[in-house]
Amino acid sequence: ILMVRAYHRSRGDLERTEVLVPDSAHGTNPATASMAGFKTVSVRSAADGGVDLDAFRAALGPRTAAVMITNPSTLGLFESRIGELIEAVHEAGALAYMDGANLNAIMGRFRPGEAGFDVMHFNVHKTFSTPHGGGGPGAGPVGVREDLLPFLPSPRVLREPDGRFRLERPGE
């Protein structure tokens, strides 16, 4: 979420101080947004357990920096309105952030980047059986769309033309 803040600041968009978090999102999302200096705005669920689209659209605005969506949600439901939600986020000039807390449920069935998510973190202790706390909170990998690459923490893992991976060197 610090990348989201840096992205908006780099564009001089300093009024984006809010992060929308559906009430069905992973419990750490409001804390993460608050720790990064954002105001958290909770969005209620609809009767079917998905995000209430009307409440979501009403909460979006020029102060919205990002929306943190856990998909599938903590209710165990895949967000059936994901396309509409992401479209509304982008129309508002905000970024769509996917919490990968429950990624294991959709691996190989859903591609967050193709769905329009701008940022996603992977909870490796759940999806890939890494011991919880192996590297500390938030130590898992993060994926971003191309124009957010400059805001990734460093060092980044880079792929060589021959397919091997390596850590980037300072200044690269």
Side-chain angles (χ1 to χ4, degrees), residues 155-158 160 165-169 172:
R156 296 179 300 160
V157 176
L158 303 176
E160 295 290 348
F165 293 94
R166 67 173 177 83
L167 289 178
E168 74 180 334
R169 295 175 194 93
E172 235 182 316

Side-chain angles (χ1 to χ4, degrees), residues 13 16 32 41 46-47 69 84 103 108 111 115 120 148 159 171:
D13 203 349
R16 295 196 178 270
T32 299
V41 178
I69 298 175
E84 293 173 90
L103 181 65
R111 296 175 62 123
M120 182 184 157
L148 294 173
R159 181 176 236 158

